Amino acid sequence: MDSSHVSALQLKHAGLERQIHEELSRPMPDLTVIQSLKKRKLRLKEEIVRC
């Protein structure tokens, strides 16, 4: 896999991390949204590791 693809995946991963942090900092965080974001983040991490 080329490094630009890995870089794109890492950017998406960082974006999801930011979204999770933003949701957690809200007064009433939506746990289903957080769970969904964490699953997407994990899938991206697994794909990055495979590359």
Side-chain angles (χ1 to χ4, degrees):
M1 211 53 64
D2 63 62
S3 64
S4 64
H5 181 67
V6 174
S7 295
L9 292 174
Q10 289 171 331
L11 279 174
K12 287 181 186 178
H13 187 271
L16 288 170
E17 179 69 34
R18 192 182 68 252
Q19 285 179 273
I20 291 167
H21 181 74
E22 287 172 5
E23 187 64 35
L24 286 171
S25 66
R26 290 177 50 196
M28 296 280 291
D30 187 335
L31 297 180
T32 56
V33 169
I34 293 167
Q35 186 177 33
S36 173
L37 290 169
K38 284 185 175 184
K39 284 181 182 177
R40 287 170 51 198
K41 189 177 131 190
L42 180 59
R43 281 190 220 108
L44 276 174
K45 183 177 180 181
E46 290 169 348
E47 190 173 344
I48 291 167
V49 169
R50 283 195 304 268
C51 293

